[in-house]
Amino acid sequence: MVIDLQRCMGCQTCSTSCKLSNNIPDDIWWTRVLTEGGDFIDTGSGEYPKVSMQHIPVSCQHCENPACVKVCPVGATFKDADNGIVRQDYDKCIGCRMCMAACPYTGVRSFNWEEPKYAMDFQVGDPSVAPHQKHTVEKCTFCVNLVAKNEEPKCVRSCVGEARHFGDLDDPNSEVSRLVREREVMQLLPEKGTHPSVYYLV
C-alpha cells in the first residue's frame, strides 16, 4: 500500500468505506485518519501564524517481519504466503491479545469483548467478509476477500483524492513500485524492525 500524504485531505472516506464494506462492529475502526498535532480530527500543529496540518491514514501495516505473528501462541495471526497480507483466523483466536501487545502500531487492532453489535439490524458490505466473533482480535485485512478476486482494497477504490495505491512492490513495472522509486517515502516506526508494507509519500 502506498499513501500519498500530499493528496490525502482527511475526508475519512477510507475509514467509512472500510467500515461498511467489512461490516465492522460498532465502536471499531480498522482504518483511521490521524492528524499530526492533536488527538482530534483536523487538529493543527504549531502556533499562529506558523501552523500546519498533516493527515496520516493509519491501519495495520502488514509488516514483512510482523511482531504479532511471532507471539501468537496458536497461529491465529499469520502472514499469508500467497500475498504477504498479515491475517487473523477468528476460529483459531483464543483472545489472549498477545498480538495487540506486541504490535508497535498503537490502535490498529481491536478486540471484541462481547458479541459484535452493529448500527443496523442486518449485515452490510461484501458478503465474502468473514463474520466477526466474540472474544477475538481483528484488524485491517487489506480486503483480502477483494484481493482474491483481483480487486483493490475498498479504501483504495473509494479514495476521492486518489491518495491510495495498491499493488505488487516486487514488480518493478507496478504503480506502487514506481511511486516508491520516484518519490520520497517514509514508513511508520522503521526502527522497530518490522519492515511495514505501507509506504507514505511525503
Side-chain angles (χ1 to χ4, degrees):
M1 178 81 71
V2 173
I3 303 174
D4 190 339
L5 297 182
Q6 293 183 26
R7 297 189 67 92
C8 176
M9 55 188 153
C11 68
Q12 309 286 335
T13 302
C14 55
S15 301
T16 53
S17 63
C18 166
K19 190 169 182 71
L20 289 170
S21 180
N22 291 288
N23 195 39
I24 298 174
D26 287 352
D27 301 321
I28 292 178
W29 297 88
W30 286 356
T31 296
R32 299 169 297 141
V33 181
L34 305 181
T35 308
E36 188 176 299
D39 296 329
F40 302 98
I41 293 173
D42 294 341
T43 304
S45 60
E47 294 184 17
Y48 180 82
K50 295 182 178 180
V51 294
S52 63
M53 186 161 51
Q54 177 69 68
H55 297 102
I56 305 176
V58 178
S59 61
C60 174
Q61 300 293 292
H62 296 278
C63 304
E64 290 181 36
N65 183 32
C68 55
V69 171
K70 295 176 183 177
V71 299
C72 181
V74 293
T77 303
F78 65 100
K79 189 173 176 67
D80 193 312
D82 293 330
N83 51 38
I85 295 173
V86 177
R87 300 177 55 187
Q88 291 285 125
D89 186 329
Y90 301 149
D91 292 329
K92 286 185 178 178
C93 181
I94 58 173
C96 69
R97 290 166 283 144
M98 290 290 289
C99 58
M100 296 179 76
C103 177
Y105 306 102
T106 305
V108 300
R109 290 171 178 262
S110 302
F111 186 70
N112 290 323
W113 289 98
E114 303 295 337
E115 287 295 337
K117 295 181 176 66
Y118 303 93
M120 308 227 196
D121 57 2
F122 56 89
Q123 183 170 338
V124 299
D126 195 303
S128 63
V129 171
H132 304 275
Q133 299 178 30
K134 179 181 179 180
H135 291 165
T136 56
V137 175
E138 57 178 54
K139 64 173 196 65
C140 162
T141 65
F142 265 173
C143 290
V144 66
N145 56 309
L146 299 181
V147 171
K149 298 184 282 188
N150 292 318
E151 297 178 19
E152 294 177 316
K154 193 65 172 181
C155 61
V156 175
R157 292 167 57 189
S158 64
C159 180
V160 294
E162 298 182 356
R164 289 177 174 259
H165 308 272
F166 186 80
D168 184 358
L169 192 64
D170 292 331
D171 176 3
N173 297 315
S174 69
E175 183 182 27
V176 290
S177 182
R178 179 186 61 79
L179 288 168
V180 168
R181 188 170 58 244
E182 295 178 357
R183 296 271 304 273
E184 183 182 353
V185 299
M186 74 166 195
Q187 292 173 292
L188 299 182
L189 304 179
E191 68 276 10
K192 298 296 183 180
T194 57
H195 304 295
S197 293
V198 178
Y199 292 79
Y200 295 90
L201 304 177
V202 295

